[in-house]
Amino acid sequence: MTDQVENSEQEPLSKIDTSVPHSARIWNYWLGGKDNYEVDRVAGDAFREIFPGIETGARAARYFLARAVRHLAAEEGIRQFLDIGTGLPNVDNTHQIAQRVAPESRIVYVDNDPLVLAHARALLTSTPEGVTNYVDADLRKPSTIVREAGKTLDFDQPVALMLMGILGHIEDHDEARSIVSQLVEALPPGSYLVQYDSTDTSEDYVRAIGQYNDGGSIPYILRSPEQIARYFDGLELLEPGVTSCSRWRPDAEALGLPAEVHQYGGVALKR
């Protein structure tokens, strides 16, 4: 059994390219994590020199995730979560927040990064009453995601679809909207979409992203708040709508954060 676990972790780790910075690892660095490489720290520091507010934005986005999951589990009775573009495990991941409210919650994480895969297998555990699973799939293949997630989740019951900071990696906005539409279409009424992405609302942020994209990493496209709002077309937005992540139902976690960060998101109901 030990050999099997070691081999399952070594296989994805062998595919990691440590010569090019990677957004999930840089984000991990900004959040104070240790699952990153020197190339990621160099890129993260260069980004921060141009746009010092990036770490604040990263924290605000993380707290938005926590508040949204907690609200859906505690107030809306959601017991299933499909978290696409998981990123590297950090403090209070989706399953931990949801299962703290309702231990029977079922969570499926989706990513296709080998480092994320290795850490997910080791760290994304579940309560005895619930289930936590991981799907190795690409965001651009929504039918594959739904099919594989359906082995763990019941798509006849409400699901919270979470797309956290991932749609910026889809360069064409119409394609990104199409992906969201296909995923939402697979959900039953009573489901929710939780989404945020970084915006073009700061000139320094735009410059920093331009430098990052020129460095050979998978490009990330900043979009306007209005473009982000289009992902929720046909859904019923919860108050306060699509807004700066620090403004979405702030609580004690958000103390010390500015009212305006350049990550915008929202939560919406599928009727």
Side-chain angles (χ1 to χ4, degrees):
M1 180 62 73
T2 302
D3 289 342
Q4 289 177 348
V5 172
E6 288 179 354
N7 289 338
S8 69
E9 293 182 2
Q10 288 170 358
E11 181 179 354
L13 286 171
S14 68
K15 300 176 183 177
I16 296 170
D17 183 356
T18 60
S19 66
V20 177
H22 189 281
S23 61
R25 303 193 309 249
I26 297 173
W27 205 254
N28 174 267
Y29 172 55
W30 285 330
L31 287 170
K34 301 183 185 305
D35 299 314
N36 48 73
Y37 296 95
E38 180 65 19
V39 66
D40 307 307
R41 296 188 285 274
V42 169
D45 289 342
F47 196 108
R48 186 171 46 201
E49 285 183 13
I50 300 174
F51 182 64
I54 187 57
E55 289 180 340
T56 300
R59 290 199 307 275
R62 192 73 188 179
Y63 295 152
F64 166 66
L65 179 153
R67 295 195 303 277
V69 172
R70 193 159 48 239
H71 172 80
L72 293 178
E75 306 298 330
E76 308 295 346
I78 297 298
R79 297 294 180 263
Q80 301 190 110
F81 294 81
L82 177 57
D83 189 339
I84 304 175
T86 305
L88 289 161
N90 210 300
V91 176
D92 267 359
N93 301 286
T94 297
H95 72 287
Q96 294 166 313
I97 300 165
Q99 291 180 345
R100 195 176 299 139
V101 175
E104 71 274 20
S105 297
R106 304 173 74 85
I107 294 88
V108 171
Y109 292 103
V110 181
D111 211 301
N112 67 344
D113 177 76
L115 184 61
V116 173
L117 174 59
H119 282 270
R121 287 172 170 167
L123 300 177
L124 299 182
T125 57
S126 175
T127 59
E129 303 93 330
V131 176
T132 300
N133 208 346
Y134 185 92
V135 171
D136 184 2
D138 193 301
L139 175 62
R140 290 178 174 83
K141 298 181 178 179
S143 60
T144 299
I145 291 173
V146 171
R147 183 186 71 244
E148 294 302 311
K151 297 175 181 178
T152 301
L153 305 179
D154 179 1
F155 279 92
D156 290 327
Q157 299 297 321
V159 175
L161 168 64
M162 304 180 62
L163 297 165
M164 313 302 281
I166 190 68
L167 292 172
H169 288 301
I170 306 297
E171 294 189 53
D172 183 83
H173 187 232
D174 288 338
E175 182 185 0
R177 289 179 57 205
S178 175
I179 289 169
V180 175
S181 179
Q182 291 175 66
L183 290 167
V184 169
E185 186 177 356
L187 305 179
S191 295
Y192 288 83
L193 170 63
V194 185
Q195 193 274 331
Y196 88 84
D197 263 297
S198 296
T199 63
D200 59 2
T201 47
S202 161
E203 291 184 6
D204 288 342
Y205 204 169
V206 172
R207 284 200 303 119
I209 280 288
Q211 175 178 281
Y212 169 81
N213 291 344
D214 290 342
S217 302
I218 298 173
Y220 186 92
I221 308 302
L222 298 178
R223 296 196 164 103
S224 68
E226 292 75 20
Q227 286 178 307
I228 290 174
R230 296 303 305 275
Y231 297 137
F232 297 95
D233 284 355
L235 303 176
E236 183 179 308
L237 277 163
L238 275 58
E239 292 294 335
V242 175
T243 185
S244 170
C245 283
S246 56
R247 294 179 186 269
W248 197 90
R249 305 191 178 196
D251 58 14
E253 286 182 325
L255 291 177
L257 290 175
E260 184 73 12
V261 296
H262 302 284
Q263 287 73 29
Y264 273 58
V267 180
L269 168 66
K270 179 179 179 179
R271 288 291 187 183

